Amino acid sequence: DAGITQSPRHKVTETGTPVTLRCHQTENHRYMYWYRQDPGHGLRLIHYSYGVKDTDKGEVSDGYSVSRSKTEDFLLTLESATSSQTSVYFCAISKEGGYGYTFGSGTRLTVV
Amino acid sequence: AQTVTQSQPEMSVQEAETVTLSCTYDTSENNYYLFWYKQPPSRQMILVIRQEAYKQQNATENRFSVNFQKAAKSFSLKISDSQLGDTAMYFCARPDNNAGNMLTFGGGTRLMVKP
């Protein structure tokens, strides 16, 4: 969507390797989020950020870490990928107040 | 934890007919937003409609409308004159004001519009 991009769009990686997904925004929004989407579960929050260097855990944070060194970038890292982390990952951004959210196009990650 | 429940994993409707997707949620807040998102096979998350809890009037967007029952914590989506392009996953969601306004999603309803 306009103002937010995710990279890569697809990735296949081997079990045990580190993986970093990038979310980049041009909207200067305060909040950024990483979700994963699995069949039957909808989207579940992994981590979120409420400012530069300010992050917190979500519902399914085990095995993931994040960093936000600039307003525009929010990185999601799988330190040692496992097959259970095969999923579609979405980044989202929002302003204050929970009024509106913009989603990236998603990254399909396959861990073999 | 806040929860959002969609009780219909799959639904189907004939083209041009009307269908209603159900959603219930929990909250201890008085003022909040509620959302319906559409996810077509392209997997892009598209905002369908938004409701503000303090507004009594149900939100409408062209063929899409909601039935918002605040006391019952119910937020259903009605699609009128269904079109083939409405075939998609639909997710109900609400922000958690105590957790960075993170969106909590229901499990989704897969809607198939049949010709």
Side-chain angles (χ1 to χ4, degrees):
Chain A
D1 203 54
I4 180 172
T5 55
Q6 286 184 236
S7 59
R9 184 148 173 85
H10 303 276
K11 186 170 182 66
V12 179
T13 192
E14 293 187 349
T15 298
T17 61
V19 177
T20 295
L21 308 182
R22 181 179 184 238
C23 179
H24 179 78
Q25 62 149 327
T26 57
E27 304 295 325
N28 200 36
H29 285 351
R30 178 183 177 189
Y31 293 96
M32 300 186 76
Y33 311 87
W34 277 109
Y35 289 88
R36 62 177 287 173
Q37 183 179 19
D38 304 293
H41 289 280
L43 279 75
R44 293 180 293 173
L45 184 71
I46 304 171
H47 283 278
Y48 69 97
S49 171
Y50 48 96
V52 174
K53 298 186 179 178
D54 292 324
T55 66
D56 206 347
K57 296 179 179 180
E59 176 188 1
V60 290
S61 60
D62 287 348
Y64 302 95
S65 62
V66 290
S67 66
R68 191 172 178 195
S69 59
K70 298 184 289 185
T71 297
E72 57 265 36
D73 289 326
F74 192 33
L75 304 180
L76 176 70
T77 298
L78 291 65
E79 299 290 347
S80 177
T82 67
S83 59
S84 64
Q85 293 175 313
T86 292
S87 187
V88 178
Y89 292 85
F90 284 94
C91 178
I93 59 175
S94 78
K95 293 183 182 180
E96 304 278 349
Y99 173 76
Y101 299 78
T102 304
F103 285 83
S105 300
T107 296
R108 181 175 294 280
L109 177 67
T110 303
V111 183
V112 297
Chain B
Q2 310 280 353
T3 60
V4 178
T5 302
Q6 294 179 248
S7 59
Q8 304 147 316
E10 294 185 358
M11 296 188 73
S12 64
V13 62
Q14 291 295 132
E15 195 175 7
E17 294 189 346
T18 296
V19 64
T20 299
L21 281 57
S22 301
C23 174
T24 59
Y25 59 93
D26 68 11
T27 183
S28 57
E29 298 160 24
N30 189 48
N31 192 21
Y32 47 90
Y33 294 97
L34 294 162
F35 303 88
W36 277 98
Y37 284 90
K38 171 185 178 181
Q39 187 181 43
S42 67
R43 82 175 179 232
Q44 184 65 44
M45 295 292 286
I46 301 166
L47 178 65
V48 175
I49 201 164
R50 170 175 46 222
Q51 174 78 42
E52 297 179 68
Y54 74 89
K55 288 188 175 180
Q56 297 296 319
Q57 187 173 7
N58 289 325
T60 62
E61 289 287 344
N62 301 313
R63 296 183 296 107
F64 299 87
S65 61
V66 300
N67 182 6
F68 174 50
Q69 302 289 330
K70 190 173 183 179
K73 297 187 175 66
S74 171
F75 181 58
S76 60
L77 175 69
K78 185 173 81 171
I79 306 174
S80 304
D81 185 25
S82 297
Q83 301 176 359
L84 297 178
D86 295 334
T87 293
M89 284 290 292
Y90 287 82
F91 294 97
C92 177
R94 62 140 303 192
D96 184 342
N97 294 344
N98 296 318
N101 292 319
M102 58 159 281
L103 276 176
T104 297
F105 288 86
T109 296
R110 185 177 301 278
L111 177 67
M112 173 73 71
V113 180
K114 299 180 178 179

